[in-house]
Amino acid sequence: MTVEVVQFICLNDNFGLLFHDAQSGATASIDAPDGAAIAAAADARGWALSHLLLTHHHADHIQGAQALKQRFPAMKIVGAANDAHRLPPLDIAVRDGDRVAIGDAMARVIETPGHTLGHIVYVFDAAGVAFVGDTLFSLGCGRLFEGTAPMMRQSLEKLAALPGETKIYCGHEYTLSNGKFAVTVDPDNPALQARMAEVAALRAADRFTLPTTIAEERATNPFLRAGEAAVKQAMGLSGADADAVFAEMRARKNRFAA
């Protein structure tokens, strides 16, 4: 199976993402921040969108859906059954554990509430690729607009359990700002320091910092390391459990000015 992932910036810092199965020609857009930009990227490669995989209901992830449906009338819109009332009309409503075929490639749905209650991610296990929307970012995680800190931490643990080599595509280019916060709560982590040097060089060259991998995030992302003694000590929370550390970390991140 040969697949190709194309990423490009939409709006300000959203990623447009196309997943293409070469054998069948099927192509999915992950979310729809900008219908015109996504259609142009597909057209430039001679690809017709067969699917639109929605991760959650926020406007900057769904506002281009109608334009894409008009441009590609056969395109199937896929989204969370639990969020169908606030998503564009769904052709396929999915729940945790469901599968969605994009040609010969199969996506597994994982429910990841926290950023929103209906957030889902799509994992292409055979291809070693996951599209995680706004649940997990490189060196960070999504804000808790609807869920609780324990809920979000559990969602992140689901993703952290994926094979380490899994490539992670996120909804936004936030890595540099996330990293500036990460070093305040995990200052003595050499893997994080190395990642920050890499990220700074990439952004200085106007290059993307994604995809990342699960292994890299396990080693560097403080929101996946809330149970680590070094992180607890750096935050002055040595006696706290991981949920309490995570909640305090998220609160500090919300106040942090990069």
Side-chain angles (χ1 to χ4, degrees), residues 8 19 37 80 101 110 121-122 133 135 148 167 172 191 202 211 226-227 254-255:
F8 48 96
F19 177 92
I110 302 178
V121 308
Y122 300 89
T135 294
T148 64
K167 291 183 179 180
H172 296 265
L202 287 169
N254 290 348
R255 298 190 297 267

Side-chain angles (χ1 to χ4, degrees), residues 6 14 22 31 49 62 110 117-118 123 148 164 189 240:
V6 176
N14 284 73
D31 288 329
L49 293 188
I62 66 172
I110 302 178
L117 292 179
V123 181
T148 64
N189 182 341

Side-chain angles (χ1 to χ4, degrees), residues 160-232:
L162 293 172
E165 65 273 16
T166 305
K167 291 183 179 180
I168 301 300
Y169 291 89
C170 313
H172 296 265
E173 178 58 83
Y174 285 166
T175 312
L176 184 59
S177 60
N178 284 342
K180 290 177 181 178
F181 170 77
V183 297
T184 71
V185 295
D186 198 6
D188 299 319
N189 182 341
L192 174 57
Q193 294 165 7
R195 173 64 168 153
M196 276 301 289
E198 176 191 41
V199 167
L202 287 169
R203 295 311 294 149
D206 199 28
R207 294 172 59 192
F208 301 145
T209 63
L210 299 172
T212 181
T213 66
I214 286 295
E216 186 157 49
E217 294 309 305
R218 288 179 194 150
T220 60
N221 190 328
F223 291 96
L224 299 185
R225 292 168 48 79
E228 297 290 328
V231 174
K232 292 182 179 184

Side-chain angles (χ1 to χ4, degrees), residues 91-102:
D91 298 295
I92 304 172
V94 294
R95 300 184 185 276
D96 193 70
D98 284 350
R99 262 71 174 174
V100 181
I102 309 300

Side-chain angles (χ1 to χ4, degrees), residues 20-58:
H20 178 71
D21 174 52
Q23 184 168 345
S24 67
T27 304
S29 173
I30 293 77
D31 288 329
D34 183 331
I38 293 166
D43 287 341
R45 293 162 176 81
W47 299 345
L49 293 188
S50 56
H51 295 78
L52 171 58
L53 306 180
L54 299 176
T55 63
H56 64 295
H57 75 280
H58 285 163

Side-chain angles (χ1 to χ4, degrees), residues 37-122:
I38 293 166
D43 287 341
R45 293 162 176 81
W47 299 345
L49 293 188
S50 56
H51 295 78
L52 171 58
L53 306 180
L54 299 176
T55 63
H56 64 295
H57 75 280
H58 285 163
D60 63 322
H61 290 258
I62 66 172
Q63 63 193 12
Q66 183 177 0
L68 289 176
K69 190 71 168 179
Q70 291 174 345
R71 174 65 183 80
F72 304 102
M75 182 188 75
K76 302 295 185 184
I77 300 180
V78 184
N82 292 336
D83 250 3
H85 62 288
R86 54 184 183 175
L87 292 171
L90 298 178
D91 298 295
I92 304 172
V94 294
R95 300 184 185 276
D96 193 70
D98 284 350
R99 262 71 174 174
V100 181
I102 309 300
D104 295 328
M106 190 68 68
R108 175 168 57 97
V109 175
I110 302 178
E111 292 178 352
T112 58
H115 181 64
T116 68
L117 292 179
H119 199 294
I120 60 176
V121 308
Y122 300 89

